[in-house]
Amino acid sequence: MRTNEISFRIRYSETDQMGVVYHGNYAQYLELARVEWLRSLGISYKSMEEGGIMLPVISLSINYLKPALYDDLITVKVILKKKPAVRIEFDYEITNEAGDLLVTANTVLVFMDTKRKRPTKCPQILLDKLNY
């Protein structure tokens, strides 16, 4: 399935007094990876919203294996699990520079029609980019 990776350095403001990334920040890292995954396909989340589609998260699961620390360079790999329909599901792996697996995660999002506030099918443009 389609994957993408993004790397960035942990900022001091993302850590606690021990220099360990605060657990709540990982949801933001996953979002960053998803948005860049879309961008790698030539689709911006902003353009999807302007086209009347939102993608709220309906499920989030995170497994913390090792801590990420201040100034670590981490890589977030996002993996599309299966062909999107009304829902789209991703797995994630977060590693550090040494290649240590720090976190695994999973999210499920739903395509939402912004006008009707109801779930809708995956936009055809995304399916076309994924060659489905």
Side-chain angles (χ1 to χ4, degrees):
M1 287 293 168
R2 179 81 184 190
T3 66
N4 194 51
E5 293 183 358
I6 183 166
S7 297
F8 53 91
R9 202 162 291 281
I10 300 297
R11 297 169 297 201
Y12 185 77
S13 64
E14 297 168 335
T15 65
D16 61 19
Q17 193 172 13
M18 297 179 293
V20 173
V21 171
Y22 173 69
H23 72 276
N25 286 324
Y26 286 97
Q28 293 178 43
Y29 300 162
L30 304 180
E31 178 186 15
L32 181 60
R34 281 193 310 274
V35 168
E36 291 305 316
W37 174 84
L38 268 175
R39 191 178 306 280
S40 75
L41 295 171
I43 302 170
S44 74
Y45 186 71
K46 181 179 180 180
S47 69
M48 282 184 59
E49 282 190 333
E50 289 169 348
I53 301 291
M54 292 190 312
L55 273 171
V57 174
I58 60 170
S59 175
L60 167 64
S61 173
I62 301 176
N63 301 303
Y64 303 98
L65 307 172
K66 292 184 177 183
L69 306 172
Y70 168 63
D71 205 41
D72 278 356
L73 180 65
I74 65 169
T75 299
V76 183
K77 180 178 183 180
V78 58
I79 306 144
L80 179 66
K81 292 260 311 193
K82 57 188 172 189
K83 179 182 176 181
V86 173
R87 296 177 181 209
I88 187 166
E89 184 174 358
F90 297 100
D91 282 339
Y92 307 83
E93 297 172 353
I94 300 178
T95 55
N96 62 16
E97 280 180 279
D100 297 327
L101 184 61
L102 307 178
V103 168
T104 60
N106 175 273
T107 58
V108 179
L109 298 90
V110 65
F111 293 97
M112 181 76 67
D113 182 307
T114 57
K115 291 180 183 141
R116 296 183 311 120
K117 303 288 189 233
R118 303 277 304 158
T120 190
K121 292 181 181 176
C122 176
Q124 189 60 46
I125 188 170
L126 179 55
L127 294 174
D128 291 346
K129 297 281 185 174
L130 294 169
N131 297 316
Y132 286 119

